[in-house]
Amino acid sequence: MSYKSLKFLILWIPTIVVGLWEYVRHVFLLPYISMELGNFLAPALVFLFTLTLLRGLFGKLEQTQEALQRERVSKASFQQREQLARELHDGISQSLFLLSVKLDKLEHMELGDDAKETTVQIRQTVKHVYEDVRQSIANLQSPAVVVDDSWLTAIHGAVNDLLQNSGVRAKLDWQLQEGVLSNKQLVELQSIIREALMNVRKYAQATEVQVISRQQGDEDFVCEIKDNGVGAEPSQIEAKDRYGIRMMRDRAEQMGWLFDIKSAVGGGTTVRIQSGGEGK
């Protein structure tokens, strides 16, 4: 039922009820019901319809208003994300491309071994930053998760998008029921999972990754992203230039979650996010 139809019914039902009652009373019930009793029953009937039919209509009207508000907020948010994506593409992405072109020219010049090695390292860094910017643009251009969407479908989409054509098999064991987390929590958790999967694709040299979630109680959860890749030393995990890990940790801490990452050379990496208990 449309928003206008609900308002029309809410405005006109009391009037129609009173009109029908007065017609029935004067045409059919006047010999049996006194004027005083009829005047008392009229507001009683209106009150009865308000408690039954109109109460349900008011509930639907509130739901419609909330849905319209969510749609407006989502549309405004998506427009902002598109604007930011355009700015990233027109600014940072194009600057990185020009920097890559200049590196090509530099590589063709006569340089010493040390300079050539430095040039190769700079090119690798530019490539990684460029890939991060492209992924960020893709994330901004995709609709954000909303409460009415299937959370499991959104996770499947994130896994497929990030690991497509990478040679990494993904196993999803999702036991977190919809409705456990708020919309903001869902968005933040999905962002952490995306970043963890991006790191698997770029650095882990893994053949398999598992995304596992378990519910703990009514409101708490544990989520793990495990890969069977080459792993890393703890000093490498905590290095200052590991911006992706810092971003995941910051997101988790802002939500009051516990964030932990364990890795060993040759033993793969596990990213763990936990709410409740120590995570609060």
Side-chain angles (χ1 to χ4, degrees):
M1 190 176 296
S2 67
Y3 182 74
K4 290 184 178 180
S5 298
L6 287 171
K7 288 203 303 183
F8 177 82
L9 289 174
I10 290 171
L11 288 172
W12 282 99
I13 281 178
T15 303
I16 294 172
V17 169
V18 172
L20 286 174
W21 165 248
E22 291 297 327
Y23 174 78
V24 171
R25 182 173 67 141
H26 285 85
V27 175
F28 301 106
L29 302 178
L30 194 58
Y32 310 102
I33 297 178
S34 65
M35 186 65 66
E36 291 78 7
L37 181 58
N39 292 337
F40 173 78
L41 288 176
L45 284 173
V46 173
F47 180 72
L48 180 63
F49 270 88
T50 301
L51 285 180
T52 55
L53 181 59
L54 290 184
R55 186 178 179 183
L57 291 176
F58 274 119
K60 290 183 178 180
L61 182 64
E62 291 175 357
Q63 292 176 1
T64 304
Q65 289 176 328
E66 291 175 359
L68 290 172
Q69 179 64 22
R70 285 199 301 268
E71 185 178 350
R72 284 193 292 267
V73 171
S74 178
K75 183 177 181 180
S77 175
F78 188 64
Q79 289 175 343
Q80 291 175 353
R81 288 156 63 94
E82 283 190 322
Q83 177 64 29
L84 182 56
R86 286 194 296 270
E87 292 174 359
L88 282 173
H89 180 269
D90 295 339
I92 298 176
S93 182
Q94 291 184 357
S95 298
L96 288 172
F97 176 75
L98 292 175
L99 182 58
S100 179
V101 172
K102 292 179 180 180
L103 283 172
D104 287 338
K105 294 181 179 179
L106 186 61
E107 286 181 347
H108 288 86
M109 297 174 64
E110 294 184 1
L111 301 172
D113 292 338
D114 291 341
K116 287 182 178 180
E117 184 178 353
T118 302
T119 302
V120 171
Q121 292 174 353
I122 294 174
R123 176 176 290 283
Q124 290 176 345
T125 301
V126 170
K127 180 182 177 182
H128 288 157
V129 174
Y130 184 66
E131 290 176 352
D132 289 343
V133 171
R134 287 187 61 187
Q135 184 60 52
S136 297
I137 292 173
N139 291 344
L140 287 168
Q141 289 176 335
S142 62
V145 178
V146 296
V147 176
D148 293 336
D149 286 343
S150 170
W151 173 233
L152 188 57
T153 301
I155 292 298
H156 272 294
V159 172
N160 292 334
D161 290 345
L162 290 169
L163 299 182
Q164 189 176 16
N165 301 323
S166 66
V168 182
R169 296 190 308 273
K171 292 186 177 180
L172 189 61
D173 182 10
W174 201 260
Q175 301 177 26
L176 184 60
Q177 298 178 0
E178 294 193 27
V180 173
L181 302 180
S182 68
N183 189 34
K184 179 174 176 57
Q185 289 173 324
L186 294 178
V187 171
E188 295 298 331
L189 182 57
Q190 186 183 21
S191 297
I192 295 174
I193 293 172
R194 279 182 174 274
E195 183 62 35
L197 292 175
M198 192 186 305
N199 288 340
V200 171
R201 177 171 181 168
K202 289 166 55 177
Y203 306 116
Q205 301 178 32
T207 59
E208 181 178 289
V209 61
Q210 300 180 59
V211 181
I212 304 168
S213 77
R214 297 188 302 275
Q215 191 166 330
Q216 296 184 327
D218 295 332
E219 299 179 352
D220 297 324
F221 72 93
V222 174
C223 181
E224 292 182 335
I225 302 94
K226 300 180 178 181
D227 69 69
N228 64 347
V230 296
E233 295 284 355
S235 59
Q236 294 177 309
I237 295 295
E238 300 300 331
K240 292 183 179 180
D241 60 347
R242 300 302 295 268
Y243 299 110
I245 294 175
R246 287 170 56 187
M247 185 207 73
M248 290 188 290
R249 191 184 302 277
D250 289 345
R251 284 183 180 274
E253 289 177 353
Q254 288 174 4
M255 299 305 300
W257 298 338
L258 176 67
F259 178 86
D260 185 39
I261 180 168
K262 293 181 179 179
S263 185
V265 176
T269 302
T270 298
V271 174
R272 179 183 175 92
I273 311 101
Q274 178 179 354
S275 70
E278 297 178 69
K280 285 187 176 180

